[in-house]
Structures are given as structure tokens and as C-alpha cells.
Amino acid sequence: MIRRGWTLGAARKALVVFGGLGVTLLIPTIFTVNLYVITLLFALATFSYASFSTIANVLPTDLYASEAVATVSGMSGTGAGIGTIIAFRLIGTIPMRGRLRATHSFDPIVIAAGLIPFAGMILVLLLVRNTRATDQGLVRRI
């Protein structure tokens, strides 16, 4: 995209949108029993997540000065680890229809897995832009 004249920010945001929207394909998997459809939806969502996570891991190098990149990446890794721990603790104990059930408890987790990158996409689109902080040299122009 950059070779075709897109700015760095536009190219990064396009992949964030592709990934954020594509991961929502996990949600329809809870409504189907067709193995081929489920496989296709998971494959597309996984590909989209790979695109999204690659850009999410690269954004700190685009936005922050070299000496701050490791700190920002470490904080995001810590957040991801804590989120994973919470998700593992919730699986199997999420209330379904007013009571705790082990059956079908993956549905809310799959929905959350489809919506969290989507929320990340919204945050990137709202927060990653050139502002006064860019003009002051606190973050790089994107």
C-alpha cells in the first residue's frame, strides 16, 4: 500500500480495519453446526487476527521514540497476559441463562474474542492521529 502512494498511517489503519472487522467472523460460528462453515469462519478470523496483531505490535515503533518502544511494548504484553489469564479463568464458569453451566460456555468467550479486536480497531481509529503531541515531538507523525 505504501508503494502505491498510501501514507504510513493510512496503510496501517487499513490493515487494522481489515483485521478488526475480520475477527468478528468468529461470532457467527456459535450459530452454525456446519463443520465446513465453522472451519471457513475460523480460518478467515484467524487470518484477520494475524493481520491485526502484526500491526498492533508494529504501531509502537511507528508512534514512539526509540527509547520508549520497549516500555510501550512491555506494557501491552503485560495487558495481553493479564487478559489471557482472566479469559482462562472465565471459560467454563460464565453464567448461561441465569445459572452456571459448563455446556456452551464458550459462546460468550467466542463473542468477546470477536469483539475485543473490533474495539481495538475503534480505539486505533479514534486515538492514533496527528495531534499537538505530534507537533511537540512526543509521538511521531503517522
Side-chain angles (χ1 to χ4, degrees):
M1 290 185 214
I2 293 170
R3 282 189 206 152
R4 294 180 182 199
W6 289 45
T7 65
L8 177 66
R12 298 277 196 246
K13 288 178 182 179
L15 285 173
V16 165
V17 169
F18 168 77
L21 292 175
V23 174
T24 62
L25 291 173
L26 284 175
I27 297 169
T29 63
I30 65 175
F31 301 110
T32 186
V33 293
N34 184 313
L35 181 61
Y36 296 110
V37 173
I38 291 171
T39 303
L40 177 66
L41 290 171
F42 263 92
L44 292 171
T46 302
F47 179 75
S48 298
Y49 179 74
S51 298
F52 181 86
S53 64
T54 299
I55 295 304
N57 287 326
V58 169
L59 272 177
T61 61
D62 290 338
L63 297 174
Y64 297 99
S66 301
E67 52 275 357
V69 171
T71 301
V72 173
S73 295
M75 290 182 347
S76 68
T78 300
I82 291 169
T84 300
I85 291 168
I86 292 169
F88 275 118
R89 296 292 296 162
L90 291 175
I91 293 173
T93 59
I94 292 186
M96 295 293 295
R97 297 181 194 92
R99 60 183 186 263
L100 291 178
R101 292 177 42 168
T103 59
H104 297 101
S105 65
F106 279 103
D107 292 356
I109 299 298
V110 170
I111 291 169
L115 292 178
I116 289 171
F118 183 79
M121 173 198 78
I122 298 295
L123 289 173
V124 166
L125 293 175
L126 290 175
L127 299 175
V128 177
R129 60 189 195 280
N130 297 320
T131 63
R132 213 172 5 166
T134 311
D135 296 335
Q136 294 172 352
L138 298 174
V139 292
R140 294 182 183 171
R141 183 163 299 283
I142 185 163

